[in-house]
Amino acid sequence: SSYLKGHADNVDFIYGAVSCSLGNYSISPSILKSLLERWSHKTNTFLFHFGECTVTLLDMHRMVGLPLDGDYYEEYVPPAHELDPELLLYPDFLKDLVDSWDNLAVGGEVKFQDWCDHFYNNRTGNISFSNPRARHLFVAAFLALWLCCFVIVGGGPHIRRGVLVMAAWMALGRRFSLAPPALCSLYYSLRLISQHPIGPSYMKRAWPVHYIIGWLGLYMRRKTIFGNKKKMLTLPSYGYSVEKPSMMNTMNRTATHYTLESAHDYFCYRENIFVRPYELSYIRHEVELRRVYTI
Protein backbone atom coordinates (compact mmCIF):
# COMPACT_ATOMS: atom_id res chain seq x y z
CA SER A 1 0.00 0.00 0.00
CA SER A 2 2.96 2.37 0.49
CA TYR A 3 3.49 2.51 -3.28
CA LEU A 4 -0.19 3.12 -4.02
CA LYS A 5 -0.60 5.78 -1.33
CA GLY A 6 2.35 7.83 -2.56
CA HIS A 7 5.76 8.37 -1.06
CA ALA A 8 5.42 12.04 -0.13
CA ASP A 9 3.30 13.37 2.74
CA ASN A 10 -0.32 14.24 1.91
CA VAL A 11 0.00 12.68 -1.55
CA ASP A 12 -2.44 9.96 -2.55
CA PHE A 13 -1.38 8.17 -5.72
CA ILE A 14 -4.18 5.70 -6.51
CA TYR A 15 -5.00 4.24 -3.09
CA GLY A 16 -8.26 6.18 -2.84
CA ALA A 17 -9.28 5.31 -6.39
CA VAL A 18 -8.62 1.62 -5.73
CA SER A 19 -10.80 1.83 -2.60
CA CYS A 20 -13.61 3.38 -4.65
CA SER A 21 -13.48 0.44 -7.06
CA LEU A 22 -14.33 -2.01 -4.27
CA GLY A 23 -17.87 -0.70 -3.82
CA ASN A 24 -21.15 -1.09 -5.69
CA TYR A 25 -22.83 1.84 -7.42
CA SER A 26 -26.53 1.87 -8.20
CA ILE A 27 -28.85 4.51 -9.60
CA SER A 28 -32.48 4.73 -10.63
CA PRO A 29 -32.66 3.66 -14.30
CA SER A 30 -35.07 6.50 -14.98
CA ILE A 31 -32.67 9.09 -13.52
CA LEU A 32 -29.82 7.72 -15.60
CA LYS A 33 -31.89 7.60 -18.78
CA SER A 34 -33.20 11.13 -18.28
CA LEU A 35 -29.66 12.41 -17.76
CA LEU A 36 -28.23 10.58 -20.79
CA GLU A 37 -30.92 12.05 -23.02
CA ARG A 38 -29.50 15.49 -22.21
CA TRP A 39 -25.97 14.67 -23.40
CA SER A 40 -24.68 16.55 -26.45
CA HIS A 41 -21.91 14.78 -28.35
CA LYS A 42 -21.08 18.06 -30.11
CA THR A 43 -20.05 19.84 -26.91
CA ASN A 44 -19.46 16.93 -24.49
CA THR A 45 -21.90 18.53 -22.05
CA PHE A 46 -25.26 17.87 -20.45
CA LEU A 47 -27.81 20.41 -21.69
CA PHE A 48 -30.14 21.77 -19.01
CA HIS A 49 -32.61 24.58 -19.45
CA PHE A 50 -30.44 26.86 -17.27
CA GLY A 51 -27.16 26.04 -19.02
CA GLU A 52 -24.55 23.35 -19.61
CA CYS A 53 -22.73 21.03 -17.19
CA THR A 54 -20.15 18.36 -17.75
CA VAL A 55 -17.71 16.03 -16.01
CA THR A 56 -14.34 17.81 -15.79
CA LEU A 57 -10.81 16.64 -15.10
CA LEU A 58 -11.04 18.26 -11.70
CA ASP A 59 -14.19 16.21 -11.04
CA MET A 60 -12.34 13.01 -11.91
CA HIS A 61 -9.77 13.83 -9.26
CA ARG A 62 -12.22 15.01 -6.60
CA MET A 63 -14.77 12.23 -6.89
CA VAL A 64 -12.58 9.19 -7.56
CA GLY A 65 -9.04 10.27 -6.72
CA LEU A 66 -7.46 9.68 -10.14
CA PRO A 67 -4.16 11.57 -10.56
CA LEU A 68 -4.16 14.63 -12.78
CA ASP A 69 -0.40 14.83 -13.07
CA GLY A 70 2.33 12.29 -13.71
CA ASP A 71 3.75 10.45 -16.70
CA TYR A 72 1.71 10.12 -19.87
CA TYR A 73 -0.52 7.04 -19.79
CA GLU A 74 -0.09 4.89 -22.88
CA GLU A 75 -1.07 1.26 -23.41
CA TYR A 76 1.32 -0.64 -25.66
CA VAL A 77 2.97 -4.04 -26.04
CA PRO A 78 6.81 -3.93 -26.01
CA PRO A 79 8.80 -6.26 -28.29
CA ALA A 80 9.52 -9.67 -26.77
CA HIS A 81 13.29 -9.16 -26.68
CA GLU A 82 12.91 -6.01 -24.56
CA LEU A 83 11.20 -8.00 -21.79
CA ASP A 84 14.47 -9.71 -20.82
CA PRO A 85 14.94 -8.75 -17.12
CA GLU A 86 18.70 -8.43 -17.67
CA LEU A 87 18.16 -5.45 -19.99
CA LEU A 88 16.54 -3.46 -17.13
CA LEU A 89 14.14 -1.74 -19.53
CA TYR A 90 11.02 -2.80 -17.63
CA PRO A 91 10.18 -4.22 -14.19
CA ASP A 92 11.67 -7.69 -13.81
CA PHE A 93 8.26 -9.30 -13.27
CA LEU A 94 6.64 -7.87 -16.44
CA LYS A 95 7.66 -10.90 -18.53
CA ASP A 96 5.83 -13.21 -16.11
CA LEU A 97 2.77 -10.99 -16.37
CA VAL A 98 2.84 -11.05 -20.18
CA ASP A 99 3.46 -14.83 -20.24
CA SER A 100 0.43 -15.33 -17.98
CA TRP A 101 -1.70 -13.28 -20.37
CA ASP A 102 -0.46 -15.27 -23.37
CA ASN A 103 -1.21 -18.59 -21.64
CA LEU A 104 -4.75 -17.50 -20.67
CA ALA A 105 -5.66 -15.89 -24.00
CA VAL A 106 -8.45 -17.48 -26.02
CA GLY A 107 -9.00 -15.93 -29.42
CA GLY A 108 -6.73 -13.03 -28.50
CA GLU A 109 -8.71 -12.15 -25.35
CA VAL A 110 -8.38 -12.85 -21.63
CA LYS A 111 -11.61 -12.68 -19.65
CA PHE A 112 -11.75 -11.02 -16.24
CA GLN A 113 -12.88 -14.28 -14.65
CA ASP A 114 -9.97 -16.29 -16.07
CA TRP A 115 -7.52 -13.62 -14.92
CA CYS A 116 -8.94 -13.64 -11.36
CA ASP A 117 -8.98 -17.44 -11.25
CA HIS A 118 -5.34 -17.63 -12.30
CA PHE A 119 -3.96 -15.06 -9.87
CA TYR A 120 -6.34 -15.39 -6.94
CA ASN A 121 -9.20 -17.90 -6.88
CA ASN A 122 -7.15 -20.99 -7.73
CA ARG A 123 -4.62 -20.36 -4.97
CA THR A 124 -4.75 -22.68 -1.96
CA GLY A 125 -4.57 -21.34 1.58
CA ASN A 126 -3.67 -17.79 2.51
CA ILE A 127 -1.90 -15.63 -0.02
CA SER A 128 1.73 -15.18 0.98
CA PHE A 129 4.72 -14.01 -0.98
CA SER A 130 8.19 -15.47 -0.61
CA ASN A 131 9.89 -12.50 -2.26
CA PRO A 132 9.15 -8.91 -3.37
CA ARG A 133 9.03 -9.97 -7.04
CA ALA A 134 6.09 -12.29 -6.42
CA ARG A 135 4.31 -9.59 -4.44
CA HIS A 136 4.81 -7.02 -7.18
CA LEU A 137 3.51 -9.49 -9.77
CA PHE A 138 0.33 -10.03 -7.77
CA VAL A 139 -0.25 -6.29 -7.28
CA ALA A 140 0.37 -5.62 -10.99
CA ALA A 141 -2.15 -8.33 -11.91
CA PHE A 142 -4.72 -6.65 -9.68
CA LEU A 143 -3.97 -3.20 -11.14
CA ALA A 144 -4.36 -4.57 -14.68
CA LEU A 145 -7.86 -5.74 -13.76
CA TRP A 146 -8.58 -2.44 -12.01
CA LEU A 147 -7.50 -0.39 -15.00
CA CYS A 148 -9.63 -2.40 -17.45
CA CYS A 149 -12.84 -2.74 -15.43
CA PHE A 150 -12.91 0.52 -13.46
CA VAL A 151 -10.55 3.24 -14.72
CA ILE A 152 -10.46 3.03 -18.53
CA VAL A 153 -13.43 0.86 -19.45
CA GLY A 154 -14.21 -0.24 -22.98
CA GLY A 155 -14.86 -3.15 -25.27
CA GLY A 156 -15.86 -5.87 -22.86
CA PRO A 157 -14.85 -7.83 -19.73
CA HIS A 158 -11.33 -8.49 -20.98
CA ILE A 159 -7.80 -7.70 -19.84
CA ARG A 160 -6.13 -5.64 -22.54
CA ARG A 161 -2.59 -6.84 -23.25
CA GLY A 162 -1.34 -3.29 -23.64
CA VAL A 163 -2.33 -2.41 -20.06
CA LEU A 164 0.27 -4.74 -18.52
CA VAL A 165 3.21 -2.35 -18.90
CA MET A 166 1.32 0.45 -17.17
CA ALA A 167 0.18 -1.89 -14.37
CA ALA A 168 3.72 -3.15 -13.80
CA TRP A 169 5.16 0.34 -13.42
CA MET A 170 2.28 1.45 -11.19
CA ALA A 171 2.88 -1.52 -8.89
CA LEU A 172 6.33 0.00 -8.23
CA GLY A 173 4.88 3.43 -7.49
CA ARG A 174 5.46 5.18 -10.82
CA ARG A 175 2.92 7.94 -11.14
CA PHE A 176 0.78 8.17 -14.27
CA SER A 177 -1.80 10.78 -15.16
CA LEU A 178 -4.96 8.64 -15.15
CA ALA A 179 -7.71 11.27 -15.09
CA PRO A 180 -7.37 12.36 -18.77
CA PRO A 181 -7.65 8.87 -20.36
CA ALA A 182 -10.44 7.93 -17.93
CA LEU A 183 -12.40 11.06 -18.87
CA CYS A 184 -11.79 10.32 -22.56
CA SER A 185 -13.18 6.82 -22.01
CA LEU A 186 -16.31 8.33 -20.45
CA TYR A 187 -16.76 10.92 -23.22
CA TYR A 188 -16.30 8.27 -25.90
CA SER A 189 -18.92 6.03 -24.28
CA LEU A 190 -21.40 8.89 -23.93
CA ARG A 191 -20.86 9.73 -27.59
CA LEU A 192 -21.71 6.14 -28.61
CA ILE A 193 -24.79 6.15 -26.40
CA SER A 194 -26.12 9.51 -27.61
CA GLN A 195 -25.61 8.62 -31.28
CA HIS A 196 -27.16 5.14 -31.15
CA PRO A 197 -29.73 4.90 -33.96
CA ILE A 198 -32.40 3.34 -31.71
CA GLY A 199 -31.83 5.01 -28.33
CA PRO A 200 -29.47 5.20 -25.37
CA SER A 201 -30.94 2.11 -23.72
CA TYR A 202 -29.81 -0.12 -26.59
CA MET A 203 -26.05 0.45 -26.35
CA LYS A 204 -24.76 -3.01 -25.36
CA ARG A 205 -21.23 -2.16 -24.37
CA ALA A 206 -19.34 -1.93 -21.10
CA TRP A 207 -18.89 1.71 -20.11
CA PRO A 208 -17.84 3.57 -16.92
CA VAL A 209 -21.30 4.41 -15.60
CA HIS A 210 -19.85 4.63 -12.07
CA TYR A 211 -18.30 7.99 -12.99
CA ILE A 212 -21.75 9.35 -13.85
CA ILE A 213 -23.13 8.05 -10.55
CA GLY A 214 -20.21 9.61 -8.69
CA TRP A 215 -20.75 12.89 -10.55
CA LEU A 216 -24.42 12.90 -9.57
CA GLY A 217 -23.36 12.42 -5.97
CA LEU A 218 -20.98 15.37 -6.29
CA TYR A 219 -23.30 17.91 -7.93
CA MET A 220 -26.87 16.80 -7.15
CA ARG A 221 -28.70 16.77 -3.86
CA ARG A 222 -27.38 13.41 -2.75
CA LYS A 223 -30.26 12.53 -0.43
CA THR A 224 -32.71 12.85 -3.32
CA ILE A 225 -30.70 10.49 -5.56
CA PHE A 226 -29.39 7.95 -3.05
CA GLY A 227 -30.86 6.25 -0.03
CA ASN A 228 -29.13 4.83 3.02
CA LYS A 229 -26.07 2.63 3.05
CA LYS A 230 -26.93 -1.00 2.35
CA LYS A 231 -26.92 -3.14 5.47
CA MET A 232 -24.93 -6.33 6.02
CA LEU A 233 -22.09 -5.15 3.78
CA THR A 234 -18.42 -5.10 4.65
CA LEU A 235 -17.31 -1.72 3.39
CA PRO A 236 -13.76 -1.21 2.13
CA SER A 237 -11.46 0.43 4.64
CA TYR A 238 -9.72 3.57 3.38
CA GLY A 239 -7.42 4.20 6.33
CA TYR A 240 -5.58 7.20 4.94
CA SER A 241 -5.27 10.71 6.32
CA VAL A 242 -5.79 12.81 3.19
CA GLU A 243 -9.22 13.87 1.91
CA LYS A 244 -11.30 10.91 0.80
CA PRO A 245 -12.70 10.76 -2.75
CA SER A 246 -16.36 11.76 -2.78
CA MET A 247 -17.47 8.53 -4.50
CA MET A 248 -17.00 6.80 -1.15
CA ASN A 249 -20.13 8.65 -0.05
CA THR A 250 -22.18 7.26 -2.94
CA MET A 251 -21.02 3.64 -3.11
CA ASN A 252 -23.05 0.82 -1.56
CA ARG A 253 -26.17 2.98 -1.25
CA THR A 254 -29.69 2.07 -2.26
CA ALA A 255 -31.01 4.04 -5.21
CA THR A 256 -34.06 6.26 -4.77
CA HIS A 257 -36.82 5.15 -7.16
CA TYR A 258 -38.00 7.55 -9.86
CA THR A 259 -40.55 7.18 -12.61
CA LEU A 260 -39.69 8.45 -16.08
CA GLU A 261 -41.84 11.53 -15.51
CA SER A 262 -40.41 12.38 -12.08
CA ALA A 263 -36.86 11.79 -13.32
CA HIS A 264 -37.42 14.22 -16.18
CA ASP A 265 -38.85 16.79 -13.79
CA TYR A 266 -35.92 16.34 -11.38
CA PHE A 267 -33.42 17.84 -13.81
CA CYS A 268 -35.75 20.73 -14.62
CA TYR A 269 -35.41 22.22 -11.14
CA ARG A 270 -32.32 24.39 -10.82
CA GLU A 271 -32.16 23.93 -7.04
CA ASN A 272 -31.43 20.20 -7.43
CA ILE A 273 -28.12 20.84 -9.19
CA PHE A 274 -25.03 22.45 -7.68
CA VAL A 275 -22.68 23.72 -10.39
CA ARG A 276 -19.25 24.54 -8.97
CA PRO A 277 -16.64 22.88 -11.20
CA TYR A 278 -14.04 25.61 -10.59
CA GLU A 279 -14.54 26.16 -6.87
CA LEU A 280 -11.09 26.27 -5.28
CA SER A 281 -12.04 26.37 -1.59
CA TYR A 282 -11.03 22.72 -1.12
CA ILE A 283 -7.40 23.37 -2.20
CA ARG A 284 -5.42 23.15 1.00
CA HIS A 285 -1.79 22.72 0.05
CA GLU A 286 0.68 23.41 -2.72
CA VAL A 287 0.42 19.98 -4.39
CA GLU A 288 -3.29 20.40 -5.17
CA LEU A 289 -2.67 23.95 -6.39
CA ARG A 290 -0.10 22.64 -8.87
CA ARG A 291 -2.59 20.05 -10.11
CA VAL A 292 -5.23 22.69 -10.76
CA TYR A 293 -2.64 24.81 -12.54
CA THR A 294 -1.74 21.80 -14.71
CA ILE A 295 -5.34 21.62 -15.96
Side-chain angles (χ1 to χ4, degrees), residues 5 9-11 238-244 284:
K5 288 181 178 179
D9 294 337
N10 294 321
V11 174
Y238 186 61
Y240 197 35
S241 59
V242 299
E243 185 177 358
K244 295 181 180 180
R284 299 171 183 172

Side-chain angles (χ1 to χ4, degrees), residues 39-54:
W39 181 258
S40 169
H41 66 272
K42 295 182 179 180
T43 59
N44 282 337
T45 56
F46 294 108
L47 304 180
F48 299 101
H49 72 280
F50 52 82
E52 298 174 84
C53 300
T54 193

Side-chain angles (χ1 to χ4, degrees), residues 72-93:
Y72 182 76
Y73 180 90
E74 182 180 15
E75 297 182 7
Y76 64 96
V77 181
H81 68 273
E82 292 185 359
L83 296 178
D84 187 347
E86 295 182 357
L87 296 178
L88 302 179
L89 297 176
Y90 297 97
D92 59 358
F93 55 89

